[in-house]
Amino acid sequence: MADILHRIGVKDIAPETVYEALTTVDGLAGWWTEETTGSGTAGGRLAFRFPPVGGFDMEVLETRPAEHVSWRVVDGPEEWIGTTIDWRLRRDGDYTIVLFEHRGWKEPVEFMSHCSTKWASYLLSLKAFAETGTGAPAPGDVPISDWH
Amino acid sequence: MADILHRIGVKDIAPETVYEALTTVDGLAGWWTEETTGSGTAGGRLAFRFPPVGGFDMEVLETRPAEHVSWRVVDGPEEWIGTTIDWRLRRDGDYTIVLFEHRGWKEPVEFMSHCSTKWASYLLSLKAFAETGTGAPAPGDVPISDWH
């Protein structure tokens, strides 16, 4: 098993605001992909699409306000199915610290390396969205390679 | 043991150019930190400084032109010492693909998550530097959190 782990700090923004960006369709569409539908609270299901290449369906496993959001991937690229994505939030001084974990990859394939870099760029989009109201969601996301 | 893995694609740029950005002091200073000194070819030693917080010293283990660069960390934060950093380059269509591996972390501590995100932002700086001649090296790098 292999994991993608990241950490960002969102400046002068409360954990509640970041939590909202992770659990509402408008929030998620503001930094990940504009084509987000579904319900982001525990028991719900979220569909993220990145035309023309497909996307991901997530089951929302847990949503503890301002602290923790957990998803399980139920549809998407084969390597992603069954993996879990956790978001842990805490306040630390002027920052909301976001610990990100995408766990359960069967193998550290090259596609995982790509996703690791791409997640980092989306986390910086989340940070910008929470701090300024403007993120860089798909289709206006930052291109990092031939795999987009 | 835990690893940080990333992948970027540098568009319309040959592997030789990326290799130069990884093995010369001027290249490294163009995307990682302006305070780079030493020698970047096999058997050399490189010192990277990020005032005021310290930096890293690397032994250059291998430099295979346009293909592979390998470093071992010999001084810096305790968690980094003894870890290895590998850069693998290959041409794929219009891109030079860069596979990045920072291996040998004893534990996946929070500082590793921070370094994973920060490496991604420096890799995008490397991409920009190779493609346009302008990167975002320290001290003008992208802040990602309270840990900078």
Side-chain angles (χ1 to χ4, degrees):
Chain A
M1 289 288 187
D3 304 324
I4 296 170
L5 305 173
H6 287 296
R7 179 191 190 274
I8 56 166
V10 185
K11 199 170 182 207
D12 297 329
I13 297 295
E16 287 74 12
T17 303
V18 179
Y19 178 80
E20 196 154 310
L22 296 172
T23 53
T24 65
V25 166
D26 282 354
L28 292 159
W31 65 268
W32 199 16
T33 177
E34 290 179 5
E35 289 214 25
T36 299
T37 54
S39 162
T41 45
R45 197 172 162 130
L46 287 163
F48 302 98
R49 293 293 175 269
F50 301 76
V53 295
F56 315 104
D57 286 3
M58 312 280 188
E59 245 175 43
V60 183
L61 301 180
E62 187 177 334
T63 46
R64 204 158 59 231
E67 282 185 20
H68 184 214
V69 173
S70 183
W71 301 333
R72 180 165 48 218
V73 182
V74 291
D75 205 358
E78 195 195 328
E79 298 92 335
W80 277 54
I81 295 174
T83 60
T84 54
I85 293 163
D86 283 271
W87 306 85
R88 295 175 203 284
L89 313 177
R90 71 163 194 268
R91 180 184 281 279
D92 201 339
D94 295 338
Y95 287 82
T96 291
I97 303 302
V98 181
L99 292 175
F100 169 90
E101 307 158 17
H102 185 176
R103 296 192 186 272
W105 289 74
K106 285 193 193 91
E107 300 285 342
V109 290
E110 192 168 327
F111 180 49
M112 187 181 119
S113 298
H114 163 78
C115 292
S116 174
T117 317
K118 195 77 194 182
W119 268 127
S121 91
Y122 281 124
L123 283 160
L124 295 178
S125 170
L126 167 62
K127 174 176 161 69
F129 176 66
E131 289 174 352
T132 71
T134 305
D141 53 324
V142 178
I144 67 166
S145 76
D146 54 333
W147 290 351
H148 196 78
Chain B
M1 289 287 187
D3 305 323
I4 296 171
L5 306 173
H6 287 296
R7 180 191 189 275
I8 57 165
V10 184
K11 199 170 182 208
D12 296 328
I13 297 294
E16 288 74 12
T17 303
V18 179
Y19 178 79
E20 197 154 311
L22 296 172
T23 53
T24 66
V25 166
D26 282 354
L28 292 159
W31 65 269
W32 198 16
T33 176
E34 289 179 6
E35 289 214 26
T36 299
T37 54
S39 163
T41 45
R45 198 172 160 129
L46 287 163
F48 301 99
R49 294 292 175 272
F50 300 76
V53 295
F56 316 103
D57 285 4
M58 312 279 188
E59 245 174 44
V60 183
L61 301 179
E62 187 176 333
T63 46
R64 203 158 61 231
E67 281 184 23
H68 184 213
V69 172
S70 183
W71 301 333
R72 180 166 46 218
V73 182
V74 291
D75 206 357
E78 195 195 328
E79 298 91 335
W80 277 55
I81 294 174
T83 60
T84 55
I85 293 163
D86 282 89
W87 305 86
R88 295 175 203 283
L89 312 177
R90 70 163 195 269
R91 180 185 280 280
D92 201 339
D94 297 336
Y95 286 84
T96 290
I97 303 302
V98 181
L99 292 176
F100 169 90
E101 307 158 17
H102 185 175
R103 295 190 185 274
W105 290 74
K106 285 193 192 92
E107 300 285 342
V109 290
E110 192 167 325
F111 180 49
M112 186 182 121
S113 298
H114 163 78
C115 292
S116 174
T117 317
K118 195 77 194 181
W119 269 127
S121 90
Y122 281 123
L123 283 160
L124 294 178
S125 170
L126 167 62
K127 174 175 161 68
F129 176 67
E131 289 175 352
T132 70
T134 305
D141 53 323
V142 178
I144 66 165
S145 75
D146 54 335
W147 290 351
H148 195 78

